[in-house]
Amino acid sequence: MGEHTIAIVGAGFSGTTLAVHLLRAAPAAVDRLYLVERAEGRVGGVAYRTQSASHTLNVPAGRMTAFEDDPDDFLRFVRRREPALTGGSFVPRREYGEYLADTLDGARRSSALPLLRVAGEVVSLEETDERLVLELADGRRLRVDSAVLAIGNYPPSDPPVGDPAVFSSIRYARDPWVGDALELDRRDDVLLVGTGLTMCDVALALRDADQQGRIYAISRRGLLPQPHRLSAKPPPHLDPPAAIGDWSPTALGLLRGLRREVRERAGEEVDWREVVTSIRADTPGLWRRLDAEERRRFLRHARPYWETHRHRSSPEAAYAVEELVETGRLDVIAGRVESLEDDGDAVVATIRRRGSGAPETRRVGKVINCTGPDTDLTRVRDPLVTSLRRDGLIRPDELGLGLDTDDDGRLVAADGRASERLTLLGPLRKGRFWEHTAVPELRVAAKHVADRLVREATLEV
């Protein structure tokens, strides 16, 4: 064995999959591999820890393998429990967390590379001439040769309006996934800020908890995620549009090109969903063709429509949310929140519907922030990110979508130099690739980083 050590900070999908690749490779040049996880013995991250059967994967089982070279790996796992499941099934998310844990355990048992799982939170990182020193919240230190930050997503930022007292009260949940986020009087009305996939999850969790009060969900456009088609098989893989290289490198040009392709393929009875999916592998290249101003224009004007069509909900979840709307239990509002005030007994929310001149008020027992992850790391409340920014070891990307890296994932420092020891893996690379949040992209990135780390460790020996 060699003397090179690697630490992976974060045991979500990206960190766990990277660990599996390194364990399988078992390079002689690597002496130890650390996997640092906040929740002891838990892998898969927040997304896959939910125990609700109503929280299903948003991608059919046939496309959820963690390994590009083994497309049926996850499907085989779920079929061992439920043989009737098909590649088109949308299974509970908790089963994916179990799949990742099982895969990691299997790789660990069969690998010659020692894996040390460390429960704790990394709060700072020091780069010395010799090594990296990771300090945990309890004072422990890990000394390693290289580290991969697979730190995933951060909770949403607070709405820009509202009494600060609201945000510190039990009537407000900034993070919809913390343990007490859904704790409230079942008779109270609830306000969900945001109408995307997180809102759907929270609304269904409230339904399952027998919430009697009305649920209000608000976003600027009031757009709900589009549903996947219900099918026994995973959707077919289409080739990307033949004319994709000719699409104008502007936000409007890309949308026009995609719409044109949808119209043309509709005559061949090809569903629009398959057309959107067909450009998935080409999306990073299309994104890179946009200059900074066009990317900002896309984020301002097109992003909500892209998100609702690209990141779709399972048919089961979509139908359940539709039923909540039709029965009046869920009111989806296109508009904005103008103020939030705590009157001592409830939160008084003043909202203004899109196109309306008159504000409305709603008294709710709780406000739950469902606006999605905060990617602007200049305001994220995380001690590790704060430490890395203070020491100039990272810099946020110019669009506030995450952190700046080179094409291989090496973190770019404040002085513009790419690190030789620090790598970023996961959705915080969205600023470079845009389409970098779901399993099909992240599994490719994990394999790429694993191959690079093995190669570099071997060259050092």
Side-chain angles (χ1 to χ4, degrees), residues 157-196:
S157 58
D158 295 330
V161 297
D163 181 351
V166 170
F167 300 138
S168 60
S169 79
I170 60 172
R171 296 190 181 93
Y172 172 72
R174 178 171 181 252
D175 185 348
W177 301 113
V178 298
D180 61 351
L182 304 187
E183 290 184 4
L184 72 158
D185 190 315
R186 297 303 168 201
R187 297 166 296 181
D188 286 345
D189 292 345
V190 187
L191 175 64
L192 310 183
V193 182
T195 60

Side-chain angles (χ1 to χ4, degrees), residues 144-335:
V144 299
D145 295 287
S146 59
V148 179
L149 304 186
I151 48 182
N153 293 313
Y154 289 99
S157 58
D158 295 330
V161 297
D163 181 351
V166 170
F167 300 138
S168 60
S169 79
I170 60 172
R171 296 190 181 93
Y172 172 72
R174 178 171 181 252
D175 185 348
W177 301 113
V178 298
D180 61 351
L182 304 187
E183 290 184 4
L184 72 158
D185 190 315
R186 297 303 168 201
R187 297 166 296 181
D188 286 345
D189 292 345
V190 187
L191 175 64
L192 310 183
V193 182
T195 60
L197 290 170
T198 300
M199 183 282 293
C200 295
D201 282 343
V202 172
L204 294 180
L206 289 170
R207 178 205 63 178
D208 293 347
D210 195 29
Q211 183 66 32
Q212 299 299 308
R214 198 171 193 191
I215 304 169
Y216 300 99
I218 187 169
S219 68
R220 287 179 59 196
R221 295 172 176 83
L223 298 173
L224 292 173
Q226 294 290 315
H228 280 278
R229 286 195 303 168
L230 189 62
S231 173
K233 298 180 180 179
H237 287 275
L238 294 182
D239 291 332
I244 194 170
D246 299 326
W247 290 2
S248 174
T250 64
L252 182 59
L254 297 187
L255 288 177
R256 284 176 172 171
L258 182 58
R259 287 172 176 165
R260 183 166 55 249
E261 186 69 15
V262 168
R263 288 195 301 270
E264 292 175 357
R265 298 307 295 267
E268 305 170 23
E269 298 186 352
V270 174
D271 189 84
W272 64 265
R273 297 167 181 82
E274 275 73 71
V275 178
V276 172
T277 301
S278 75
I279 70 168
R280 188 168 196 158
D282 293 276
T283 301
L286 295 172
W287 181 252
R288 299 283 287 273
R289 287 170 53 193
L290 303 181
D291 62 27
E293 183 52 40
E294 285 299 327
R295 293 181 190 181
R296 292 188 181 93
R297 186 170 287 115
F298 178 91
L299 295 176
R300 285 196 303 270
H301 302 295
R303 181 177 188 172
Y305 301 100
W306 171 263
E307 298 282 11
T308 57
H309 287 77
R310 175 64 194 85
H311 300 290
R312 302 183 287 275
S313 64
S314 69
E316 295 87 348
Y319 298 153
V321 169
E322 183 180 357
E323 183 180 26
L324 289 177
V325 173
E326 290 178 349
T327 57
R329 296 179 65 185
L330 172 63
D331 183 9
V332 179
I333 301 168

Side-chain angles (χ1 to χ4, degrees), residues 15-239:
T16 302
T17 306
L18 174 61
V20 170
H21 282 302
L22 292 172
L23 289 168
R24 289 181 174 181
V30 178
D31 182 58
R32 288 187 307 279
L33 174 64
Y34 294 102
L35 180 60
V36 186
E37 50 204 274
R38 288 186 179 180
E40 184 173 1
R42 303 282 294 275
V43 300
V46 172
Y48 306 123
R49 289 179 192 155
T50 175
Q51 294 302 302
S52 172
S54 297
H55 293 166
T56 56
L57 294 171
N58 297 316
V59 178
R63 286 190 172 176
M64 283 296 289
T65 177
F67 309 102
E68 192 76 4
D69 60 355
D70 190 357
D72 293 328
D73 190 54
F74 177 61
L75 188 57
R76 288 195 301 271
F77 175 83
V78 294
R79 278 179 168 168
R80 289 200 295 268
R81 304 176 175 190
E82 298 181 63
L85 290 174
T86 71
S89 299
F90 292 82
V91 303
R93 286 209 300 269
R94 65 189 180 206
E95 294 192 27
Y96 201 75
E98 294 164 1
Y99 161 68
L100 292 175
D102 182 77
T103 303
L104 179 64
D105 288 343
R108 182 182 187 182
R109 287 194 301 267
S110 60
S111 178
L113 173 61
L115 173 67
L116 286 77
R117 295 176 66 172
V118 180
E121 180 184 7
V122 178
V123 296
S124 68
L125 186 153
E126 179 185 358
E127 188 168 20
T128 70
D129 292 338
E130 297 291 329
R131 313 186 86 185
L132 297 173
V133 181
L134 282 63
E135 183 173 354
L136 278 66
D138 60 7
R140 286 176 294 165
R141 292 190 167 197
L142 300 178
R143 290 172 173 80
V144 299
D145 295 287
S146 59
V148 179
L149 304 186
I151 48 182
N153 293 313
Y154 289 99
S157 58
D158 295 330
V161 297
D163 181 351
V166 170
F167 300 138
S168 60
S169 79
I170 60 172
R171 296 190 181 93
Y172 172 72
R174 178 171 181 252
D175 185 348
W177 301 113
V178 298
D180 61 351
L182 304 187
E183 290 184 4
L184 72 158
D185 190 315
R186 297 303 168 201
R187 297 166 296 181
D188 286 345
D189 292 345
V190 187
L191 175 64
L192 310 183
V193 182
T195 60
L197 290 170
T198 300
M199 183 282 293
C200 295
D201 282 343
V202 172
L204 294 180
L206 289 170
R207 178 205 63 178
D208 293 347
D210 195 29
Q211 183 66 32
Q212 299 299 308
R214 198 171 193 191
I215 304 169
Y216 300 99
I218 187 169
S219 68
R220 287 179 59 196
R221 295 172 176 83
L223 298 173
L224 292 173
Q226 294 290 315
H228 280 278
R229 286 195 303 168
L230 189 62
S231 173
K233 298 180 180 179
H237 287 275
L238 294 182
D239 291 332

Side-chain angles (χ1 to χ4, degrees), residues 385-398:
V385 169
T386 300
S387 169
L388 292 170
R389 288 191 64 225
R390 181 191 63 229
D391 296 338
L393 297 178
I394 60 172
R395 70 179 184 188
D397 68 66
E398 63 179 352

